[in-house]
C-alpha cells in the first residue's frame, strides 16, 4: 500500500514537471469534465449523501451539487483573467523598466476533505487547485464512506488520471500522506487535526490552508421590530442551524445571543418554525440530515448528560440511537462553563444565552476564541459598526445565515 | 548595567508570557487599531531614523563592516521610503473593499474589511539587521497590530541600538524589542501569536513553523536559496557584469538572500583564458559581433576587469566591501572554497584575511555539480560560473534544484525571456538586472517552496499583517421560501435555476413551481 501511494505521488510530480497541467486548455478541459461528472451523476451523488448523512435532495443540491456547479462555471468564466500576469507600477527611478506579478502553480497539492459536506469540501478546493495548474491528490474523509467510494470510482472516469488522484482510507493513510513533501496542503476539519497537519507541513516548509471551525454565534436584535421581520429572523436561524447537515457544519449557527426580555418570544418563534420545517416530534422528523456516526452521536448525547445542561432544555432533547437521529433541541441558558458552551457543538443542539443588553454580546463573543462566522440580526447601524470593528471572525453576515458560503463569489 | 544584564539573563517563558499578556491587553483596549496611533508610530519611526543615522551606520559597521553607502541607501533610505509609503497610503489601504454579489443573494451588499490580526512576532536576520527588523514592523503597525521584534543576536550592535531607539521613540505598551539568542527566541515561540514573520534560513524556519502549528498561528517565512543568473550572448556584457557585481558583492558582500549565487552561461569553446585589452569594453557593438568563444572568455575577463575597477588591486583592503559576519560563517565559506575539486577552479580572487574576516571577491569556473559550493546557499563573496551547451539547458538545471528566492537572466531574446518567466519558479524574477525588485513596493517580495511562504513590501506588508474579513449585508426583504423546508420538487427546480443564475430558467421554474 505504501509503495503504491508513493508511486502515485511520483506520477503526479512527473506530470507536473512535464508541464502536463500548465496550459489553460488543459485546466479548462478538466473543469468542464468535472461539470460533466456532476451533471451526469446527480442521482448517484444524492444517493450517497442520503446514505452517509440522510441528506434530502434539496439540501444536497443547495449545499453541494449547486454550489459546485456554480463554482466550476464561475471559475471557467474567470480563468483566463486569473491566469494572466498583472501589471505593477514602476517608480520613475527604474524607468524604463516594466514589472508584473505572475501566478504560477505550486506543484503537487494534497487536499484533505471533511465528512459533513463530502462533495463540496472535496471538489471546491480541487477546482481551485486545477484552475491554478497543479496536480492533486485528494483524500476524502472515510467517515462519509459512500461519498468517498463514489469519488474514488468516478473521478478517474472523468479527469486526467495522471494529474488528479483520489485515495481512499482513514486516519492512518492521512498520517502517511503527511510524512511526504507537498507543495501545498489544503485541510478542512477540526482545529485538533489542523495542528497535526501544520506540524507535519512544517518539516517540509509546506504552506497550508486550514479551514477549521469554532463556535459561530448568532446575535439577535430584531425581535422587537415588525412581526414579519421577527418571523424571517426565526426562519433564518432555524435554517442556519438545522438546515446544513443538522448543525454539523463549520458555519452552522452554534449558539444564539438575545436579550432576556425577548428570549421567550424567540423560543416560541423557533419552536413554531422547527415544527413547520421538520415535523412535530422525533417520530415524524423529515427534511433533516442525521448524525454521521455513533461516535459523533455519543459525543452529542454526552453534551446533554450534565444535569444542569439537561435541565436547561426547553424544546426537543429526544434521541434515536438506532437511526442516529437527535431531534432539533433548544436549551435556555445552560451553564457557561459546561462543555456545550466551550466546545464547538457541531450538531442539532441550540443553546440560547440571554443578556441584559444585546450590546454585551460583543464582550461575550470576545471572551471566546475567534469564530469562523458571526451572524448578527440587527438593523441598528451603530451596532453593526461596533460588531465589525470590535469583534474578529472569519466572516460577518448581517441578517441572514449560511448564504455567505452558498452563494459567495 | 548590572540590572540590565540581570534582566537579559532571566528572559524566560514567564517573561515571554508577560510580554504577550501586556501587548494583548493593549491590543484589546483598541490602542493599535486607531488610525492616529498608527500614524504617530510611523512618524516616530521616521524621526528615529532622521535623528540617528550616524549611530545606525556605526552599528552596521560594527556588526558587518558595512560600507556607509550600503547602510545609508539599502537600509536607512529604503526603510524611510517604506515608512513614507505606508503613511501616504494607509488610510486608503484601511478602507473596506466592496465585493460583488450575485443574483442568488439579491438583495445584498458585500465588502472585505481589513482588520489587524492582533499581537505579532517579527524575528529578523543579521545581514540587513536594520531593514529586516523595521520593514516588517512598518507593515504590522500600518495594519494595526501590537508587535514584538526579536532582532538577530549575530548583529548585536544593531540589536542593542534597535532596543534602545524603539523604546525611546515608539509606544512601548504596544511595540517591544526583545534581545537575546536561542533561549529567548524559544521562550517567545512557546507563546500564542496571531502571526509570526521570520526572516532567515530553512532549518530555523522549520522550528518556527512547528512552534506556530501548536497554536495554529499563520507564518510568513522569508528564506533564501541559490539565486541563479543566466547570462545569454548578444547582450551588453559590461552593463550585465556591473549589475551582477552590484547584486553580489555590492549587497553586503554576497551575504544577502537575493544575491546572485552562481552564474550559468554557455560553452562551446576552450577553457583557456586570454587576457584582452580593456578598451574592448568601450564599444558594445564590437561585443555583439564577436564569436561566442571570445564572448565567453570576455565574460570571465569582464568580471576581472570590472571587479578591479570597483574594488582595486587589493580588494581585502577595500572599504567598499562588507566583511564576513563572523568566524563561523568565515570558516563555512572557506570550507566551500578549499574543497579539493573546487579550489583549483578559482579564476579570480581567493585571497583571505582571517583576522579581519575578509575574503576577496572570488570567481570560480566550472566547479563540479556535486561540490559543496553548488549544493548549499553560498551567502558570501564566492561566485561560481557553470557552463552548459545551450542557454535553454539552464532552465532544467535551475528547476532540478529547490525553488530560489530570486532568479535572474540577462538576455535580449524575447522568446528566451518568455521561456524563463514561464519555466523558472522562484520568489521573484528580474530580467537584465539583479536584486532591484526588492525596491519595488508594487511587487510582492517573498519566496516559494524552500525559499519561503508569504510576501511583503508596500501594500503586501499591510495585507500580510491583516485579516481580510468577509462581510455580507442582507435585508429582510425577498426571503425566498425555497431555501426552507418542507422540501418539494418545485423548490428543487427553482433552486437549480436560481443557482444557475439564468433569469429565463428562474421564470420557467417559477411558472412550473406555481403549477406544482
Amino acid at each position: 500500500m505504501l509503495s503504491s501511494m508513493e508511486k502515485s505521488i511520483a506520477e503526479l510530480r512527473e506530470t507536473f514537471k512535464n508541464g502536463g497541467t500548465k496550459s489553460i486548455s488543459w485546466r479548462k478541459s478538466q473543469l468542464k469534465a468535472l461539470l460533466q461528472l456532476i451533471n451526469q451523476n446527480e442521482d448517484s451523488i444524492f444517493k450517497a449523501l442520503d446514505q452517509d448523512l440522510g441528506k434530502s435532495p434539496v439540501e444536497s443540491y443547495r449545499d453541494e451539487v449547486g454550489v459546485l456547479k456554480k463554482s466550476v462555471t464561475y471559475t471557467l468564466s474567470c480563468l483566463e483573467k486569473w491566469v494572466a500576469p498583472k501589471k505593477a507600477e514602476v517608480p520613475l527611478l527604474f524607468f524604463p523598466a516594466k514589472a508584473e506579478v505572475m501566478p504560477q502553480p505550486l506543484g503537487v497539492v494534497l487536499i484533505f476533505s471533511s465528512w459533513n459536506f463530502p462533495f463540496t469540501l472535496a471538489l471546491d478546493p480541487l477546482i481551485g487547485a486545477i484552475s491554478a495548474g497543479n496536480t492533486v491528490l485528494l483524500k476524502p474523509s472515510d467517515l462519509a464512506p459512500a461519498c468517498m467510494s463514489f469519488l474514488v470510482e468516478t473521478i478517474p472516469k472523468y479527469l486526467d488520471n495522471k494529474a488528479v488522484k483520489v485515495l481512499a482510507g482513514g486516519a492512518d493513510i492521512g498520517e502517511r500522506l503527511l510524512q511526504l513533501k507537498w507543495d501545498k496542503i489544503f485541510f478542512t476539519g477540526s482545529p485538533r487535526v489542523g495542528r497535526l497537519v501544520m506540524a507535519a507541513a512544517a518539516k517540509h516548509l509546506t504552506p497550508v490552508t486550514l479551514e477549521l471551525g469554532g463556535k459561530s454565534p448568532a446575535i439577535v436584535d430584531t425581535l422587537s421590530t415588525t412581526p414579519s421581520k421577527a418571523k424571517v429572523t426565526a426562519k433564518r436561524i432555524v435554517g442556519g442551524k438545522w438546515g446544513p447537515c443538522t448543525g454539523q457544519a463549520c458555519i452552522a449557527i452554534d449558539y444564539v445571543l438575545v436579550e432576556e426580555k425577548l428570549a421567550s418570544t424567540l423560543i416560541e418563534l423557533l419552536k413554531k418554525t422547527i415544527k413547520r420545517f421538520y415535523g412535530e416530534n422525533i417520530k415524524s422528523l423529515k427534511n433533516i440530515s442525521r448524525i454521521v456516526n455513533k461516535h459523533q452521536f455519543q459525543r452529542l448525547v454526552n453534551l446533554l448528560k450534565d444535569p444542569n445542561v439537561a435541565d436547561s432544555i426547553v424544546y426537543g432533547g429526544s434521541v434515536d440511537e438506532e437511526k442516529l437521529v437527535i431531534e432539533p433541541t433548544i436549551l435556555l441558558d445552560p451553564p457557561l462553563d459546561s462543555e456545550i458552551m466551550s466546545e464547538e457543538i457541531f450538531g442539532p443542539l441550540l443553546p440560547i444565552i440571554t443578556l441584559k443588553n444585546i450590546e454585551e454580546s460583543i464582550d461575550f463573543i470576545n471572551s471566546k476564541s475567534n469564530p469562523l462566522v458571526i451572524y448578527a440580526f440587527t438593523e441598528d447601524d451603530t451596532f453593526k459598526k461596533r460588531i465589525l470593528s470590535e469583534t474578529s471572525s472569519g466572516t460577518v453576515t448581517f441578517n441572514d445565515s449560511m448564504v455567505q458560503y452558498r452563494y459567495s463569489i | 548595567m548590572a540590572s540590565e544584564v540581570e534582566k537579559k539573563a532571566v528572559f524566560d517563558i514567564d517573561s515571554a508570557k508577560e510580554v504577550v499578556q501586556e501587548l494583548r491587553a493593549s491590543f484589546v483596549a483598541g490602542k493599535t487599531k486607531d488610525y492616529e496611533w498608527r500614524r504617530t508610530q510611523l512618524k516616530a519611526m521616521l524621526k528615529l531614523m532622521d535623528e540617528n543615522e550616524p549611530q545606525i551606520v556605526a552599528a552596521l559597521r560594527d556588526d558587518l563592516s558595512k560600507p556607509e553607502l550600503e547602510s545609508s541607501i539599502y537600509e536607512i533610505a529604503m526603510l524611510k521610503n517604506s515608512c513614507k509609503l505606508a503613511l501616504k497610503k494607509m488610510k486608503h489601504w484601511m478602507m473596506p473593499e466592496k465585493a460583488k454579489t450575485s443574483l442568488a443573494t439579491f438583495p445584498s451588499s458585500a465588502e472585505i474589511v481589513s482588520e489587524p490580526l492582533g499581537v505579532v512576532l517579527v524575528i529578523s536576520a543579521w545581514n540587513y539587521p536594520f531593514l529586516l527588523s523595521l520593514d516588517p514592523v512598518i507593515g504590522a503597525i500600518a495594519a494595526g497590530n501590537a508587535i514584538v521584534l526579536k532582532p538577530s543576536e549575530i548583529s548585536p550592535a544593531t540589536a542593542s541600538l534597535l532596543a534602545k531607539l524603539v523604546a525611546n521613540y515608539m509606544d512601548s505598551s504596544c511595540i517591544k524589542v526583545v534581545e537575546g539568542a536561542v533561549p529567548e527566541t524559544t521562550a517567545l515561540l512557546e507563546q500564542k501569536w496571531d502571526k509570526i514573520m521570520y526572516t532567515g534560513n530553512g532549518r530555523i524556519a522549520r522550528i518556527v513553523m512547528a512552534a506556530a502549528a501548536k497554536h495554529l498561528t499563520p507564518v510568513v517565512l522569508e528564506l533564501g536559496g541559490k539565486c541563479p543568473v543566466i547570462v545569454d550572448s548578444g547582450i551588453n556584457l559590461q552593463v550585465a557584469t556591473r549589475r551582477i557585481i552590484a547584486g553580489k558583492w555590492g549587497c553586503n558582500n554576497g551575504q544577502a538572500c537575493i544575491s546572485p549565487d552562481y552564474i550559468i552561461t554557455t560553452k562551446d569553446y576552450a577553457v583557456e583564458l586570454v587576457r584582452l585589452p580593456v578598451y574592448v569594453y568601450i564599444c558594445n557593438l564590437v561585443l555583439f559581433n564577436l564569436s561566442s568563444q571570445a564572448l565567453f572568455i570576455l565574460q570571465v575577463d569582464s568580471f576581472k576587469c570590472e571587479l578591479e575597477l570597483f574594488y582595486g588591486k587589493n580588494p581585502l583592503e577595500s572599504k567598499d566591501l562588507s566583511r564576513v559576519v563572523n568566524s563561523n560563517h568565515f570558516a563555512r565559506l572557506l570550507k566551500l572554497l578549499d574543497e579539493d575539486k573546487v579550489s583549483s577552479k578559482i579564476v579570480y580572487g581567493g585571497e583571505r584575511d582571517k583576522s579581519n574576516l575578509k575574503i576577496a571577491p572570488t570567481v570560480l569556473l566550472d566547479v563540479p555539480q556535486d561540490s559543496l559550493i553548488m549544493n548549499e546557499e553560498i551567502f558570501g563573496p564566492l561566485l561560481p560560473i557553470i557552463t552548459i551547451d545551450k542557454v535553454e539547458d539552464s532552465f532544467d538545471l535551475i528547476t532540478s534544484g529547490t525553488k530560489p528566492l530570486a532568479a535572474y537572466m540577462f538576455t535580449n531574446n524575447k522568446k528566451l525571456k518568455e521561456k524563463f518567466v514561464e519555466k523558472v519558479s522562484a520568489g521573484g524574477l528580474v530580467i537584465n538586472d539583479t536584486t532591484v525588485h526588492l525596491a519595488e513596493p508594487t511587487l510582492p517580495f517573498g519566496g516559494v517552496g524552500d525559499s519561503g511562504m508569504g510576501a511583503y513590501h508596500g501594500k503586501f506588508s499591510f495585507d500580510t499583517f491583516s485579516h481580510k474579513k468577509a462581510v455580507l449585508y442582507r435585508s429582510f426583504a425577498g426571503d425566498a421560501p425555497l431555501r426552507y423546508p418542507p422540501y418539494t420538487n418545485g423548490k428543487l427546480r427553482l433552486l437549480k435555476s436560481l443557482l444557475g443564475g439564468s433569469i429565463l430558467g428562474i421564470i420557467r421554474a417559477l411558472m412550473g413551481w406555481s403549477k406544482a
Side-chain angles (χ1 to χ4, degrees):
Chain A
M1 184 65 198
L2 189 62
S3 64
S4 82
M5 183 196 292
E6 283 177 329
K7 256 192 237 164
S8 295
I9 293 154
E11 188 175 8
L12 289 175
R13 207 158 272 296
E14 197 59 37
T15 306
F16 180 75
K17 198 168 151 212
N18 296 336
T21 59
K22 275 214 168 142
S23 72
I24 293 187
S25 58
W26 178 86
R27 305 181 203 192
K28 280 190 166 175
S29 75
Q30 295 303 291
L31 293 171
K32 288 185 177 149
L34 196 59
L35 196 55
Q36 241 191 357
L37 182 161
I38 298 169
N39 284 333
Q40 291 175 355
N41 293 276
E42 204 171 277
D43 286 335
S44 309
I45 293 172
F46 287 166
K47 196 164 156 213
L49 285 165
D50 180 44
Q51 215 173 310
D52 283 339
L53 295 153
K55 278 195 197 190
S56 72
V58 173
E59 192 179 328
S60 298
Y61 192 87
R62 184 194 64 202
D63 295 347
E64 306 237 27
V65 174
V67 168
L68 285 169
K69 280 191 189 180
K70 198 158 193 286
S71 185
V72 177
T73 316
Y74 180 67
T75 303
L76 275 165
S77 69
C78 294
L79 189 62
E80 303 215 13
K81 193 173 79 177
W82 292 348
V83 168
K86 287 177 189 37
K87 294 240 164 290
E89 261 177 53
V90 182
L92 207 57
L93 175 69
F94 290 117
F95 182 82
K98 285 189 291 192
E100 62 188 19
V101 178
M102 192 174 141
Q104 273 191 325
L106 290 167
V108 186
V109 170
L110 172 62
I111 297 176
F112 283 114
S113 63
S114 172
W115 51 262
N116 54 343
F117 293 87
F119 284 97
T120 305
L121 300 178
L123 301 180
D124 212 4
L126 180 68
I127 290 167
I130 289 175
S131 63
N134 299 281
T135 55
V136 183
L137 184 84
L138 171 62
K139 162 69 189 70
S141 169
D142 63 329
L143 298 182
C147 296
M148 179 178 71
S149 296
F150 173 88
L151 288 169
V152 169
E153 282 158 24
T154 321
I155 283 184
K157 295 185 183 154
Y158 288 81
L159 300 186
D160 180 350
N161 289 354
K162 293 203 172 66
V164 179
K165 294 189 190 289
V166 189
L167 200 56
D172 57 329
I173 300 292
E175 268 171 49
R176 282 193 219 166
L177 287 170
L178 284 173
Q179 304 299 326
L180 308 169
K181 180 173 166 63
W182 303 92
D183 296 301
K184 180 120 187 188
I185 301 176
F186 189 104
F187 168 81
T188 306
S190 71
R192 186 188 67 85
V193 181
R195 284 172 172 83
L196 297 173
V197 169
M198 190 171 166
K203 296 199 179 98
H204 298 285
L205 292 175
T206 298
V208 300
T209 293
L210 307 174
E211 294 278 325
L212 310 175
K215 289 183 80 60
S216 297
I219 303 171
V220 180
D221 182 36
T222 39
L223 293 182
S224 40
T225 53
T226 66
S228 62
K229 283 187 182 159
K231 276 197 193 133
V232 172
T233 301
K235 277 201 282 184
R236 288 175 179 181
I237 292 174
V238 170
K241 175 67 174 187
W242 295 282
C245 212
T246 199
Q248 299 167 110
C250 52
I251 46 172
I253 295 177
D254 188 280
Y255 65 99
V256 167
L257 291 160
V258 71
E259 275 182 6
E260 48 186 15
K261 61 183 196 267
L262 295 169
S264 48
T265 315
L266 177 64
I267 291 171
E268 282 318 302
L269 275 169
L270 290 176
K271 282 184 191 175
K272 278 202 187 109
T273 314
I274 289 170
K275 286 184 184 164
R276 202 170 74 235
F277 284 3
Y278 307 118
E280 291 288 323
N281 54 44
I282 195 169
K283 295 217 184 327
S284 55
L285 216 53
K286 52 185 164 45
N287 299 318
I288 194 169
S289 304
R290 63 168 167 74
I291 308 302
V292 68
N293 60 23
K294 275 204 157 47
H295 171 76
Q296 289 294 324
F297 180 87
Q298 205 49 56
R299 180 186 65 81
L300 288 161
V301 161
N302 288 344
L303 291 179
L304 297 175
K305 278 214 166 100
D306 180 341
N308 293 323
V309 172
D311 279 345
S312 69
I313 296 177
V314 293
Y315 181 85
S318 307
V319 309
D320 181 340
E321 191 167 349
E322 209 193 298
K323 295 201 177 122
L324 292 177
V325 169
I326 297 175
E327 68 168 326
T329 300
I330 303 176
L331 305 96
L332 178 59
D333 281 324
L336 293 180
D337 58 357
S338 57
E339 223 181 311
I340 202 174
M341 281 312 295
S342 52
E343 296 292 310
E344 184 177 0
I345 296 170
F346 223 70
L349 319 173
L350 181 69
I352 296 184
I353 306 296
T354 60
L355 306 163
K356 289 233 161 359
N357 187 314
I358 197 64
E359 314 241 329
E360 291 165 28
S361 53
I362 290 178
D363 285 337
F364 188 95
I365 292 168
N366 287 339
S367 69
K368 299 185 177 303
S369 50
N370 297 355
L372 189 49
V373 193
I374 293 175
Y375 298 106
F377 291 84
T378 177
E379 293 190 297
D380 179 342
D381 279 337
T382 313
F383 189 39
K384 282 186 193 175
K385 286 202 173 82
R386 275 199 66 201
I387 292 170
L388 272 184
S389 61
E390 295 176 38
T391 64
S392 181
S393 58
T395 302
V396 178
T397 298
F398 289 110
N399 300 326
D400 212 327
S401 64
M402 300 301 295
V403 285
Q404 79 282 359
Y405 181 88
R406 290 192 189 128
Y407 313 127
S408 60
I409 291 184
Chain B
M1 278 297 124
S3 63
E4 252 186 73
V5 171
E6 235 184 271
K7 229 173 155 182
K8 281 184 187 165
V10 296
F11 189 90
D12 57 6
I13 299 235
D14 287 326
S15 326
K17 211 175 184 175
E18 264 173 52
V19 163
V20 175
Q21 268 168 358
E22 186 188 344
L23 290 177
R24 202 160 282 292
S26 302
F27 178 74
V28 163
K31 274 188 176 180
T32 60
K33 283 189 183 178
D34 177 42
Y35 172 71
E36 275 315 314
W37 180 88
R38 305 184 205 191
R39 250 179 80 83
T40 322
Q41 295 308 295
L42 292 175
K43 283 185 148 164
M45 199 185 279
L46 275 177
K47 201 166 171 220
L48 182 162
M49 288 186 267
D50 283 335
E51 292 176 359
N52 294 278
E53 188 158 330
Q55 290 90 318
I56 298 167
V57 168
L60 291 166
R61 197 180 309 117
D62 268 346
D63 284 334
L64 300 151
S65 299
K66 198 170 268 207
E68 185 175 342
L69 188 123
E70 282 191 42
S71 300
S72 294
I73 304 301
Y74 300 145
E75 301 236 27
I76 301 170
M78 278 205 50
L79 203 55
K80 279 191 187 175
N81 278 350
S82 185
C83 215
K84 286 180 187 161
L85 182 71
L87 273 164
K88 183 170 165 207
K89 299 267 185 168
M90 190 167 52
K91 205 166 212 170
H92 176 71
W93 293 344
M94 281 168 71
M95 281 171 45
E97 254 177 78
K98 287 249 161 283
K100 280 208 286 209
T101 54
S102 68
L103 193 65
T105 51
F106 182 83
S108 62
S109 64
E111 60 186 13
I112 302 170
V113 170
S114 295
E115 63 177 26
L117 289 165
V119 184
V120 305
L121 173 62
V122 174
I123 302 176
S124 72
W126 54 260
N127 57 341
Y128 284 81
F130 199 71
L131 178 70
L132 299 177
S133 295
L134 295 184
D135 208 2
V137 169
I138 288 170
I141 291 173
N145 300 278
I147 304 148
V148 167
L149 168 63
K150 162 67 189 70
S152 172
E153 69 279 15
I154 297 179
S155 44
T158 315
S160 288
L161 183 63
L162 274 168
K164 189 176 107 189
L165 293 178
V166 168
N168 286 346
Y169 284 80
M170 313 201 63
D171 180 352
S172 27
S173 70
C174 302
I175 303 173
K176 291 190 190 293
V177 177
V178 172
E179 290 178 81
V182 174
E184 290 78 7
T185 310
T186 309
L188 288 170
L189 285 173
E190 285 286 309
Q191 310 309 314
K192 179 174 163 68
W193 303 92
D194 297 300
K195 188 126 189 182
I196 300 176
M197 174 154 164
Y198 168 76
T199 307
N201 66 62
R203 190 182 65 85
I204 306 290
R206 284 166 170 80
I207 297 172
V208 170
M209 191 170 168
K214 296 197 182 103
H215 298 288
L216 292 172
T217 297
V219 298
V220 173
L221 305 173
E222 295 272 326
L223 311 177
K226 289 184 81 59
C227 302
V229 186
I230 307 172
V231 180
D232 188 19
S233 53
I235 55 163
N236 183 326
L237 188 55
Q238 184 184 42
V239 170
T241 311
R242 290 179 165 183
R243 289 177 177 178
I244 295 171
I245 295 174
K248 178 78 170 185
W249 296 282
C251 283
N252 207 22
N253 205 10
Q255 299 165 106
C257 49
I258 45 171
S259 270
D261 188 278
Y262 66 103
I263 295 189
I264 313 176
T265 191
T266 48
K267 67 162 171 245
D268 49 18
Y269 22 64
V271 177
E272 293 302 322
L273 304 174
V274 174
R275 290 201 64 86
L276 288 171
V278 170
Y279 64 72
V280 168
Y281 298 112
I282 297 166
C283 184
N284 295 325
L285 281 173
V286 176
L287 280 175
F288 291 161
N289 292 320
L290 283 174
S291 71
S292 57
Q293 179 175 1
L295 258 172
F296 163 71
I297 293 163
L298 266 176
Q299 276 187 55
V300 177
D301 254 7
S302 188
F303 273 116
K304 289 182 178 180
C305 201
E306 299 297 337
L307 280 169
E308 203 170 291
L309 276 168
F310 285 10
Y311 303 115
K313 285 197 187 295
N314 294 312
L316 285 176
E317 285 161 31
S318 170
K319 292 219 163 22
D320 294 333
L321 282 167
S322 298
R323 66 160 199 267
V324 174
V325 69
N326 60 22
S327 46
N328 281 348
H329 280 277
F330 188 82
R332 180 185 66 79
L333 288 163
L334 284 192
K335 196 166 162 214
L336 299 182
L337 198 53
D338 295 340
E339 197 185 2
D340 274 338
K341 46 198 173 175
V342 166
S343 52
S344 52
K345 307 286 185 183
I346 299 175
V347 293
Y348 182 88
E351 301 93 351
R352 71 287 301 269
D353 173 355
K354 191 170 177 185
S355 53
N356 289 312
L357 294 176
K358 294 216 163 189
I359 298 175
T362 302
V363 180
L364 306 96
L365 181 57
D366 274 330
V367 297
Q369 279 297 341
D370 61 352
S371 55
L372 285 172
I373 200 172
M374 282 311 294
N375 284 285
E376 53 179 80
E377 186 177 358
I378 296 168
F379 223 70
L382 321 174
L383 182 69
I385 302 178
I386 306 293
T387 58
I388 43 170
D389 289 323
K390 35 186 221 307
V391 168
E392 290 83 352
D393 294 346
S394 59
F395 303 141
D396 285 336
L397 186 63
I398 296 170
T399 54
S400 70
T402 57
K403 297 176 188 180
L405 188 54
Y408 308 110
M409 181 163 193
F410 287 86
T411 183
N412 282 320
N413 181 325
K414 187 163 184 260
K415 277 219 152 49
L416 268 178
K417 286 183 196 178
E418 283 168 12
K419 241 184 161 182
F420 173 61
V421 170
E422 188 208 314
K423 286 196 169 243
V424 174
S425 184
L429 301 180
V430 186
I431 293 179
N432 295 332
D433 211 326
T434 64
T435 71
V436 287
H437 63 300
L438 179 93
E440 176 57 88
T442 53
L443 290 175
F445 185 79
V448 61
D450 280 31
S451 55
M453 56 182 81
Y456 72 125
H457 286 181
K459 181 169 189 278
F460 301 100
S461 295
F462 176 86
D463 289 343
T464 222
F465 287 105
S466 299
H467 164 55
K468 299 290 179 176
K469 182 156 73 176
V471 183
L472 183 66
Y473 296 88
R474 289 273 294 153
S475 92
F476 288 92
D479 193 41
L482 64 88
R483 286 169 58 175
Y484 309 111
Y487 297 139
T488 62
N489 284 335
K491 282 189 183 178
L492 182 57
R493 256 196 323 264
L494 192 53
L495 203 52
K496 284 187 180 188
S497 51
L498 186 65
L499 283 174
S502 117
I503 305 280
L504 231 62
I506 294 171
I507 294 173
R508 257 189 255 125
L510 267 170
M511 290 173 68
W513 180 64
S514 65
K515 275 189 200 148

